[in-house]
Amino acid sequence: MKTGSFLRILAVALALPIAALQARPALEKPNFIVILLDDAGYANFSHSGHPTIETPNISKMAEDGMNFTNYYSAAAACSASRYGLLTGRHPLRSGFPWVIPPSFPRFIHAKEITIANILRDTGYATAIFGKWHVGTPNEANHFDRNAFPLAHGFNFWLGTNVSHDYLDSKLIRSDPEGFDPINGYHTLAVDLGLDHDWKVLKTLTRRYQDAAVGFIKANASSPFFAYIPLNFPHLQLAASDGSLHTSAAGLLGDTMTDIDTLVGTLRRTLEEKGIAENTLIVFTSDNGQWIRFQDTASHPRYMEARLLVGSARPFRDGKGSTWEGGQREPGIWCWPGTIPARSTNRHPASNLDILPTLTTLAGGVLPTDRSIDGRNIAPYLNPSHFDGEVPEFTFFYEGHTTTTNAVRKGPWKLHIALYSQLGINYGYAPDGNTRQVLEKPLLFNLELDPSERHNVAAEHPEIVKELKTAIENFEATAKKEGSFWDEK
């Protein structure tokens, strides 16, 4: 056989599996990848204007898909935010505080229905690669198996139980033959917060990347859901050997390079398997930058943190705050062939919308026996494919005391209480480290004033009244419904 003929036959043979994979229509049970960063400020990316952090793969994903410019995390801190994303429910309904340490008795309740539960019941393979942080089996909860991911719809897990800077945090993998810390899991490393030479920390993003690539390849011919809640850029930063000292932005830039490499690798894998057009990727963060350390010149584990926390500019404040910097996040939804390239969406949306939207796209069924606070935003992605109206955006900002501090409806945002990890209230209330209830609410038009500089409450008393009533009604109904932990 002539060499040319052989090569043509080989090319056809190699193309057959890809053609078979592409046979499934893009809208028929699409694959989902949700990438959630940890403590990423809004301005930590090339596409949002950072002058020295280079994230070309993330920028390319924004160019290839839809960039939401009014996108929110579910809460301004870790555990509450993850609960909201996973359940589509406001964190006030969780029954636990903003951040739960590994010794905390409560966790995401067994009766909660997560997006992984729904998708697995709809025929999806499900996996989590990264930080869990909505519960840990411990003595206080009698090492309850419901505290970990396999009890909440996931088939596989590789990641940390809490933030990696906890002195007693662990890197864990699900394992049918494992028994540490409970049956079904195997502990790979302990005491990550003491990993001063980065032996484990510098490998985390790459570990998740490689495991996710393997998961995609193993499930390329059937629907899958990969939830990838990365550990970084949460302090204590660490970068891989390949990225260290490569960014003009220093260690923060190096860490973002690792994250950007993960995004590029996952997208190339989808292309290689012929399923890029069958896969929706959502890219976002759990809350803003850890502003508490913005002036810290030296820290035993966080180093010169003031250069490493990042920025939420143009928004005010950061993590822990219900100012915009605490919850305004990158929101990229990329689905080649379905979401038009170079789309910019200025409608407000949030991570609460992920569960209802993915459920609808997968042909799943939303639970009807509980409140779902998120909305199906599929019509935003491509109105020619997805009919219907997206419900109006009314978004309640949860304060660190599990009470409502603010609400946004349309362009208007009303603050009834303030808190900042900096202990300052920008002249609107006495400074202090506790929640400050405002004698007179603050009102901002976020479309005209995204930095929340100009209080216009006096000019719009009717809007102040409307939004105060919305908060009162929401808190009353949330209190009446309670959480599953309130059940006897």
Side-chain angles (χ1 to χ4, degrees):
M1 181 182 291
K2 293 183 179 180
T3 302
S5 299
F6 172 76
L7 291 176
R8 283 193 294 272
I9 293 171
L10 179 61
V12 171
L14 290 174
L16 284 175
I18 294 178
L21 291 174
Q22 290 177 329
R24 187 167 107 240
L27 300 183
E28 182 183 310
K29 290 191 182 300
N31 308 310
F32 304 117
I33 299 175
V34 175
I35 302 172
L36 182 74
L37 274 58
D38 198 342
D39 288 9
Y42 183 87
N44 279 18
F45 308 88
S46 298
H47 79 276
S48 57
H50 197 286
T52 53
I53 290 178
E54 298 182 50
T55 51
N57 291 306
I58 295 169
S59 294
K60 183 66 165 61
M61 187 164 59
E63 291 174 8
D64 292 345
M66 178 170 286
N67 184 31
F68 285 85
T69 60
N70 282 269
Y71 197 86
Y72 291 86
S73 61
C78 185
S79 302
S81 184
R82 289 156 204 274
Y83 167 88
L85 186 156
L86 288 168
T87 65
R89 286 157 52 81
H90 192 279
L92 279 180
R93 307 185 193 282
S94 70
F96 54 72
W98 259 10
V99 180
I100 52 180
S103 59
F104 196 75
R106 290 188 177 183
F107 42 83
I108 185 169
H109 198 279
K111 290 186 178 180
E112 295 285 1
I113 297 175
T114 71
I115 183 60
N117 288 128
I118 294 171
L119 293 177
R120 190 171 68 177
D121 289 348
T122 312
Y124 281 67
T126 60
I128 169 174
F129 306 98
K131 170 180 154 182
W132 176 238
H133 213 165
V134 280
T136 296
N138 54 48
E139 290 184 1
N141 57 40
H142 308 290
F143 293 93
D144 196 319
R145 63 176 298 276
N146 291 306
F148 265 178
L150 298 192
H152 296 280
F154 291 101
N155 301 123
F156 178 83
W157 175 40
L158 169 67
T160 62
N161 58 325
V162 291
S163 300
H164 58 279
D165 66 322
Y166 278 89
L167 298 181
D168 54 351
S169 61
K170 299 179 179 181
L171 177 63
I172 297 170
R173 182 187 69 225
S174 58
D175 181 350
E177 298 181 358
F179 51 85
D180 179 25
I182 59 173
N183 289 342
Y185 300 88
H186 175 66
T187 297
L188 301 174
V190 298
D191 303 332
L192 300 184
L194 298 174
D195 185 17
H196 301 301
D197 54 4
W198 299 357
K199 286 183 179 179
V200 177
L201 295 184
K202 70 181 181 180
T203 71
L204 289 179
T205 302
R206 180 60 183 269
R207 284 177 191 250
Y208 303 153
Q209 171 187 303
D210 292 348
V213 165
F215 174 76
I216 291 170
K217 289 180 176 179
N219 295 282
S221 61
S222 57
F224 64 79
F225 167 54
Y227 171 48
I228 308 178
L230 301 175
N231 287 81
F232 300 117
H234 188 297
L235 300 174
Q236 118 196 35
L237 294 187
S240 68
D241 292 336
S243 297
L244 188 63
H245 304 310
T246 63
S247 173
L251 182 55
L252 174 59
D254 298 339
T255 303
M256 295 303 296
T257 295
D258 279 338
I259 292 170
D260 189 70
T261 298
L262 175 143
V263 170
T265 301
L266 295 184
R267 295 198 70 199
R268 282 193 298 275
T269 302
L270 297 173
E271 291 284 353
E272 291 166 3
K273 302 305 293 185
I275 54 173
E277 294 192 358
N278 296 84
T279 306
L280 167 62
I281 302 176
V282 179
F283 179 90
T284 185
S285 179
D286 66 342
N287 48 253
Q289 82 285 10
W290 204 353
I291 198 169
R292 173 183 170 188
F293 295 98
Q294 71 169 12
D295 297 318
T296 301
S298 178
H299 187 279
R301 289 185 294 125
Y302 303 158
M303 300 171 286
E304 191 173 358
R306 63 188 179 184
L307 298 181
L308 304 177
V309 296
S311 170
R313 292 184 178 180
F315 307 113
R316 189 194 289 275
D317 216 276
K319 177 180 181 177
S321 164
T322 47
W323 294 102
E324 288 296 280
Q327 292 187 237
R328 186 79 75 93
E329 296 300 331
I332 301 172
W333 290 52
C334 182
W335 189 358
T338 296
I339 298 176
R342 297 178 179 84
S343 299
T344 298
N345 194 305
R346 304 192 190 284
H347 294 288
S350 82
N351 285 340
L352 294 173
D353 299 328
I354 291 175
L355 179 142
T357 305
L358 270 55
T359 297
T360 301
L361 294 174
V365 179
L366 285 173
T368 57
D369 62 342
R370 66 202 62 202
S371 294
I372 300 293
D373 299 295
R375 309 161 303 153
N376 170 26
I377 61 170
Y380 285 162
L381 307 182
N382 190 327
S384 66
H385 286 316
F386 309 114
D387 296 331
E389 295 290 327
V390 177
E392 185 177 24
F393 184 83
T394 303
F395 185 79
F396 299 94
Y397 301 70
E398 183 197 19
H400 75 295
T401 55
T402 60
T403 51
T404 306
N405 278 8
V407 60
R408 176 174 181 175
K409 185 176 182 181
W412 299 105
K413 180 178 178 182
L414 185 81
H415 293 261
I416 62 168
L418 301 176
Y419 170 76
S420 170
Q421 290 191 342
L422 298 176
I424 60 176
N425 288 310
Y426 305 99
Y428 292 113
D431 292 342
N433 293 315
T434 59
R435 178 177 185 259
Q436 297 291 317
V437 178
L438 294 166
E439 183 176 337
K440 294 183 178 180
L442 307 174
L443 182 69
F444 300 96
N445 184 323
L446 294 178
E447 293 180 356
L448 298 175
D449 179 25
S451 301
E452 298 173 281
R453 304 288 177 182
H454 308 292
N455 175 27
V456 294
E459 292 95 312
H460 300 281
E462 72 289 353
I463 295 174
V464 171
K465 181 179 180 181
E466 176 189 352
L467 295 183
K468 280 185 66 177
T469 300
I471 291 176
E472 292 166 0
N473 291 342
F474 170 71
E475 288 208 315
T477 56
K479 182 177 181 180
K480 182 178 179 180
E481 183 175 336
S483 81
F484 291 114
W485 289 103
D486 297 327
E487 297 178 358
K488 302 299 184 183

